[in-house]
Structure formats: structure tokens, C-alpha cells
Amino acid sequence: MKSPRTKLVGELMGLDIGQVRTGVARMNTIAKIPQALQESLNIVDDIDSLITTYNPSAIVVGLPRGLDGQETEQTRITRETIDRIRGQVRDRMPVFIIDEAGTTKEAELRAQTNESVDSVAAGIILQTFVDELAHGKIEDYEI
């Protein structure tokens, strides 16, 4: 017998970690519409403040890879940042990692004049995560 899935409720926070800055977005699990928020120049220092402000039930981080799916220097940097974020949030909420392939290019097409491309990409990461949840691609969780 399968164990019951954990239901994610409320807000989700998406992160698009880059070399210089991190795009931040949120999505309500009922409305399922991503909202680009802001950029962070040091997400590890800012994560507690963002959690206090938006009270997410989970954090979703996009993982970059090379064109052939290989690990790159940015992949390594992102994994290290994720480890530091997980160390800070400890058991307060899960931190998910999903493939971010194509999110920056799509964000460049979608971003409005006043929106950060990185934060729009973080919203696309959230949308991808919710779509994967809906199709049962992420074990043990649902919305």
C-alpha cells in the first residue's frame, strides 16, 4: 500500500539561481498563477526574510545543465547554494529541485518591461513544478 501524499498548501516559492542574482517568484497553490517578485543578490542571506514575508510551504529551485544535459560550473554553484538554503530552512519545508531547461529563453519572451527576467524564469520554474505534480512526476507530494 502506498503511503499518503503530503499536500502542499498556500504559497510556493520559486528560485532561479544565477551567477550574479537570483530571481524569486511565488505561486498560490489554489490559483496556480506564478507572480514574479524580485531579485536577490545573495539568496542565502535573504531566504529567511523571504520566508517570513511570503510564508511558503515549499521552495522550488531550477537546476541548470548544459545543452547536452551535462553538469556545468553553474550546476555545481546552484547545488552548493541549494545545500546552504536547505541548511537554513532545515525541517520547516521541503526544497525541490527541477530541471530549468529553457526557462530563461521563455522568460525573455514573457517578461514585461518592469519585470526581472530572472524572476519571470522563477515563475516558469514554479509552473513546471506544479505541472509535474499534476502528472504524478513528483513522488509523495500533491497540491
Side-chain angles (χ1 to χ4, degrees), residues 13 18 28 30-31 49-50 59 63 98 106 120 122 131-132 138:
M13 181 179 297
N28 183 279
I30 294 172
S49 173
L50 289 165
I59 297 173
L63 186 68
I98 65 163
E106 187 172 341
V120 172
D131 292 347
E132 288 183 6
I138 298 176

Side-chain angles (χ1 to χ4, degrees), residues 14 45 50 55 61 81 107 116 126 131-132 139 143:
D45 287 346
L50 289 165
N55 194 29
V61 184
T81 303
S116 151
L126 283 173
D131 292 347
E132 288 183 6
E139 293 183 19
I143 56 170

Side-chain angles (χ1 to χ4, degrees), residues 15-17 61-65 74 78 98-104 121 124-125 128:
L15 303 177
D16 179 36
I17 298 172
V61 184
L63 186 68
R65 295 188 186 273
Q74 186 58 40
T78 301
I98 65 163
D99 183 4
E100 70 167 38
T103 58
T104 300
I124 295 168
I125 289 165
T128 301

Side-chain angles (χ1 to χ4, degrees), residues 8-98:
L8 299 172
V9 295
E11 299 289 322
L12 303 174
M13 181 179 297
L15 303 177
D16 179 36
I17 298 172
Q19 290 180 333
V20 176
R21 64 190 158 272
T22 297
V24 181
R26 72 176 179 173
M27 176 186 280
N28 183 279
T29 57
I30 294 172
K32 298 184 183 98
I33 300 171
Q35 177 188 8
L37 295 174
Q38 63 199 56
E39 293 177 342
S40 167
L41 294 177
N42 189 334
I43 192 62
V44 175
D45 287 346
D46 294 341
I47 196 70
D48 283 328
S49 173
L50 289 165
I51 289 169
T52 299
T53 301
Y54 298 107
N55 194 29
S57 59
I59 297 173
V60 183
V61 184
L63 186 68
R65 295 188 186 273
L67 294 176
D68 295 324
Q70 77 277 17
E71 300 258 330
T72 65
E73 180 64 14
Q74 186 58 40
T75 308
R76 184 189 64 74
I77 291 168
T78 301
R79 286 189 189 281
E80 287 175 2
T81 303
I82 291 167
D83 288 344
R84 293 175 65 197
I85 290 169
R86 282 184 167 150
Q88 282 189 255
V89 301
R90 292 179 185 80
D91 297 328
R92 291 186 282 174
M93 70 196 67
V95 177
F96 296 94
I97 302 172
I98 65 163

